[in-house]
Amino acid sequence: MFTLGTSKAYGSRELYGMDIFDVREILQTPVLTTVPSAPVGVKGMVSLRGVIIPVLALAELMGQETASNNTIMIVAEHQSRMLAMLVDTVDNIVRLDESKLRQAPPMLTSGHLKSIADLDDGRLLQVLDMGSVLSRYKPDD
């Protein structure tokens, strides 16, 4: 589970998650190299063990305002494509029972949500659809 910042609309801190199989690693954000004319939300790129990876300001994509320097980066890999995402905080890894997952309502799936999870403490966890996030930055064919 991780947070991105504060909701622009409501001022609340929302929880997000993703399939653990899409997470390659979580690390301190290194110095980013900016890219001229990068798509909206792309803050730059990093070289991670010789692999060039685009870095996305996930808060910007999800309509959140971040107060932090985004010192944490989640490196994700989905269908052999890699992307690093700047996040506010990483809380913990939670194993969710399938019964706690609900399909995201159709009006919300136009964003990047795959499902919503009811947590034991009453909070809702928004589970990202990494295929959707990555497809937003798919190079033109």
Side-chain angles (χ1 to χ4, degrees):
M1 295 187 311
F2 55 91
T3 63
L4 300 176
T6 306
S7 166
K8 290 179 182 178
Y10 304 106
S12 58
R13 294 182 64 78
E14 308 298 341
L15 277 177
Y16 293 89
M18 57 192 288
D19 189 324
I20 193 67
F21 294 112
D22 289 336
V23 177
R24 184 159 180 182
E25 61 186 294
I26 300 169
L27 55 126
Q28 295 292 334
T29 303
V31 174
L32 302 180
T33 300
T34 57
V35 180
S37 304
V40 173
V42 175
K43 292 302 175 191
M45 62 184 165
V46 294
S47 176
L48 188 60
R49 288 180 285 289
V51 178
I52 305 300
I53 302 171
V55 179
L56 174 66
L58 195 54
E60 204 172 301
L61 181 65
M62 301 302 287
Q64 305 283 297
E65 291 180 350
T66 183
S68 78
N69 309 357
N70 290 122
T71 58
I72 302 171
M73 186 170 79
I74 298 175
V75 179
E77 184 172 9
H78 182 79
Q79 296 180 345
S80 300
R81 294 184 59 210
M82 290 181 61
L83 175 74
M85 301 173 295
L86 301 174
V87 300
D88 219 16
T89 63
V90 174
D91 192 0
N92 57 18
I93 297 172
V94 178
R95 180 178 163 84
L96 292 174
D97 188 296
E98 289 288 325
S99 67
K100 296 199 182 274
L101 292 174
R102 309 275 189 270
Q103 187 167 355
M107 69 184 300
L108 300 178
T109 56
S110 61
H112 302 292
L113 297 181
K114 178 168 51 175
S115 57
I116 309 291
D118 289 312
L119 300 178
D120 292 336
D121 63 6
R123 296 181 296 169
L124 293 176
L125 176 73
Q126 301 175 63
V127 181
L128 295 178
D129 178 345
M130 288 311 299
S132 174
V133 172
L134 283 164
S135 70
R136 179 179 173 110
Y137 299 99
K138 182 178 179 183
D140 295 330
D141 293 278

